Amino acid sequence: MKKTGKRLLACFVAVFAPLTVTAGQSTTMMAVISGEHRASENTSRDQYRHPVETLAFFEVRPSMTVVEVWPGGGWYTEILAPLLRQSGRYIAAGFVTNPELAPQWRIQLMQALEAKMAAAPDLYGKPLITELGLPDSWVAAPPGSADRVLTFRNVHNWLKGGYAEPMFEAFYAALKPGGILGVVEHRARPGTSIEAMKVSGYMTEEYVIKLATEAGFKLEARSEVNANPKDSADHAEGVWTLPPSLRLGEKDREKYLAIGESDRMTLKFVKPR
C-alpha cells in the first residue's frame, strides 16, 4: 500500500471503527479512497477536502442510500458511488440539463459524469441520476428514501440564483425521518452581508443554518475538519482567487497556493423523526 494509503488507513481505523464493513463486502472506504480509479488531480485535493474525516462526521455507511447534490465533475462521486455499489445506493441529484434552461457547461459536466459512470459499471454500479433546480425540478430522490443528503460547496450558487430555500426543502423531502443532511461550504466571516456572500462565494454559518432550520432540519453538530485558518475569506475574486481556480492567474500565485483551498464550514443537520 502507498504511504498515503497507510496514513489514511490509520485514520479510517480511528474514525470508522463503529462503521465496520462486513467481510462479504469488498468495497470499503479505504479501498475506495486509495483506489487507482481516482484521478490524480482529485487525490491531490484530499489534503483540503479530508474525505475520510468528512464522511465519518456525516456517518456515511456502505449500506445507505446517499444523495450527492450537484456532483459537478464527480470528485466525491469517485468515492461515494463505489462505496455504495454493493449494498447501498448512490443518487446523483445533478444539474438540470434542458438546453433551453441550462448553460452549456452544466450540460457538458452532467454528460461527462454520466459517461464516466456508464463506462465502469463494475466500479460505479447503476446510480440513479436526477435533476435538481430551476425552474421546476425539486425532487432530489424518491420522497423519504435517502439516509443521507450531502452537498459540497454549492449553497453559494443557490443563494446567488435565488432558489436556496426550495433546494433545502427538496433535501428535507428526500430524507427519511432521522436522516442526515451534510453541508460543506466556503465560510464567510460572521456578519457578512447577503450581497457580499453572493459576490464572494463565501457564506456565513448563520445563514446556512437559517436555510436548513427553516426547511425543518435540526442542527446536530459542527466540525472544523475542513477549516483553513490561513484563509481570510477576503480576496479580490472571492473564493475563486484561491486554488484550484486561481482566477488572478500568475498574480500572487505562490501566495494563494500557500493559503490553499478555502476555509469551510462542515455542518450536520438531522430531519426529526
Side-chain angles (χ1 to χ4, degrees), residues 47-67:
Q47 62 180 311
Y48 304 116
R49 297 190 170 185
H50 311 100
V52 172
E53 299 92 333
T54 299
L55 295 179
F57 179 66
F58 294 148
E59 303 176 46
V60 174
R61 296 171 174 83
S63 59
M64 290 179 168
T65 294
V66 178
V67 179

Side-chain angles (χ1 to χ4, degrees), residues 26-240:
S26 61
T27 304
T28 66
M29 176 65 69
M30 278 315 308
V32 170
I33 288 181
S34 59
E36 296 296 327
H37 70 283
R38 295 186 64 209
S40 59
E41 60 267 28
N42 290 343
T43 58
S44 67
R45 301 178 73 183
D46 286 357
Q47 62 180 311
Y48 304 116
R49 297 190 170 185
H50 311 100
V52 172
E53 299 92 333
T54 299
L55 295 179
F57 179 66
F58 294 148
E59 303 176 46
V60 174
R61 296 171 174 83
S63 59
M64 290 179 168
T65 294
V66 178
V67 179
E68 182 185 5
V69 181
W70 281 21
W75 195 93
Y76 261 104
T77 304
E78 286 188 351
I79 297 171
L80 289 169
L83 175 70
L84 301 165
R85 179 181 62 84
Q86 288 192 336
S87 56
R89 190 181 199 192
Y90 173 73
I91 300 176
F95 301 127
V96 173
T97 57
N98 184 327
E100 296 181 2
L101 304 170
Q104 188 61 29
W105 67 267
R106 286 188 176 178
I107 296 172
Q108 291 173 343
L109 268 180
M110 285 306 299
Q111 289 174 340
L113 184 66
E114 291 181 35
K116 178 177 182 174
M117 292 189 288
D122 290 343
L123 176 64
Y124 294 108
K126 296 180 179 180
L128 173 63
I129 299 173
T130 63
E131 295 188 358
L132 186 63
L134 292 174
D136 57 5
S137 296
W138 303 117
V139 179
S145 66
D147 298 288
R148 302 288 182 268
V149 172
L150 308 179
T151 174
F152 304 97
R153 305 167 316 283
N154 287 313
V155 184
H156 61 282
N157 295 302
W158 310 327
L159 174 66
K160 186 174 182 179
Y163 54 97
E165 289 83 0
M167 292 293 278
F168 277 82
E169 291 167 3
F171 308 156
Y172 191 90
L175 281 165
K176 301 173 182 177
I180 287 173
L181 167 65
V183 179
V184 177
E185 181 56 270
H186 311 294
R187 180 163 50 192
R189 296 172 178 173
T192 300
S193 70
I194 290 178
E195 287 307 311
M197 287 191 270
K198 290 179 180 179
V199 172
S200 70
Y202 288 95
M203 304 282 296
T204 64
E205 287 195 16
E206 178 185 19
Y207 195 84
V208 174
I209 292 169
K210 176 177 179 287
L211 289 169
T213 54
E214 287 183 350
F217 289 101
K218 176 184 176 183
L219 178 65
E220 178 80 0
R222 313 181 198 210
S223 172
E224 290 298 297
V225 65
N226 293 304
N228 180 0
K230 296 179 181 179
D231 180 17
S232 67
D234 182 17
H235 310 294
E237 292 291 335
V239 69
W240 302 281

